[in-house]
Amino acid sequence: MAKAFVIDVAKCSGCYNCQLACKDEHAENDWTPYAKPQPLTGQFWCRVTDHTQGTIPKVRIHYIAHLCNHCRNAACINAAKNGAVYRRDDGIVIIDPEKAVGQKQIVDSCPYGAVYWNEALSLPQKCTGCAHLLDHGHKLPRCVDACPTGALMFGEEDDLADYIEGATVLQPESGSFPRVYYRNIPGQFIAGTVYDPKEKEVIIGARCLLNSGGKRWEVYTDEYGDFWFNDLPVGLYDLSIQVPGYEIKLFENLRTRECVNLGDIPLERKEE
Ligand code: SF4
Ligand code: SF4
Ligand code: SF4
């Protein structure tokens, strides 16, 4: 049976414990035949990236942990000579630290940038799935064990089926078929604040209708006059804001390549 990682982005607090734990486990520790020591600087086999969406004051931030995807169709295996990269029976992909010496092409082969070059050892290096721990009775890799929120999960792929269902993988177009699955990566949002410029008051309960390609979303402004349409796919959207007694406000062709903060939106009262 194959192992898999599941990373729930909604549960990630951005504490970087996983990144630090991986460093602690592998930097200057020789786990041959799984891996030679990771250098103290320049390599992050577990790497947390932060992502800021929107503009002030409608800003959201999320964090994503990255590691080797232990791909079913691993470009690094294909690029290696002499079987220097191999897949274990449990699905974990390992760079053999003896056979891979001098094989810099392995670094370039990975579509995820998960392989680092150790100049001093002339060696490509990456996440080992902490196979040295798993083979000695440990249930979890260090990064997963260090995660305080349960954002990182690891186990038999079949046992994680409920979490994998509906999850996504990074760069599916690469055809790598990763064994690292991601849940709840936020999509784009469209947001704004609706107010009455004469009263200088926000408008609560304004009906906001969003349309794109025949699909429709509806939200109402909250007690701050704010509305949010969350987790939108990239596309073109038309928005109308309707409040009884006010002129309808229209926004056409809003593009969600990035999140859209429409800012403060004045609504004019209809003529009596
Ligand atoms: S993520 Fe990169 S290094 Fe890891 S298995 Fe896939 S191709 Fe190989
Ligand atoms: S599984 Fe081990 S080697 Fe891989 S990122 Fe986690 S701690 Fe680092
Ligand atoms: S340890 Fe868990 S919560 Fe902290 S950054 Fe890593 S995945 Fe996120």
Side-chain angles (χ1 to χ4, degrees), residues 7 11-19 48 63 65 143 146-152:
I7 301 176
K11 288 185 181 168
C12 177
S13 64
C15 68
Y16 289 81
N17 275 10
C18 49
Q19 190 170 304
V48 179
Y63 302 87
C143 55
C147 179
T149 65
L152 285 184

Side-chain angles (χ1 to χ4, degrees), residues 6-67:
V6 179
I7 301 176
D8 190 338
V9 175
K11 288 185 181 168
C12 177
S13 64
C15 68
Y16 289 81
N17 275 10
C18 49
Q19 190 170 304
L20 291 169
C22 182
K23 263 279 167 222
D24 184 57
E25 186 65 31
H26 292 277
E28 299 190 319
N29 286 330
D30 192 339
W31 298 120
T32 304
Y34 303 95
K36 292 285 184 195
Q38 183 188 125
L40 271 177
T41 58
Q43 293 198 16
F44 291 101
W45 299 356
C46 177
R47 183 171 54 93
V48 179
T49 55
D50 60 285
H51 304 263
T52 305
Q53 295 178 301
T55 52
I56 291 171
K58 299 277 188 296
V59 176
R60 283 188 173 167
I61 187 160
H62 63 271
Y63 302 87
I64 300 182
H66 302 262
L67 52 154

Side-chain angles (χ1 to χ4, degrees), residues 158-212:
D158 289 351
D159 295 342
L160 292 169
D162 287 351
Y163 299 102
I164 290 171
E165 193 181 332
T168 185
V169 297
L170 300 181
Q171 299 180 42
E173 69 282 358
S174 69
S176 302
F177 299 103
R179 280 205 169 89
V180 178
Y181 299 90
Y182 289 85
R183 293 172 61 82
N184 297 315
I185 294 179
Q188 308 299 335
F189 66 72
I190 295 175
T193 305
V194 182
Y195 75 104
D196 181 326
K198 272 207 182 124
E199 301 290 333
K200 295 191 171 44
E201 290 281 355
V202 298
I203 299 177
I204 300 168
R207 186 180 184 215
C208 306
L209 288 170
L210 194 64
N211 286 286
S212 178

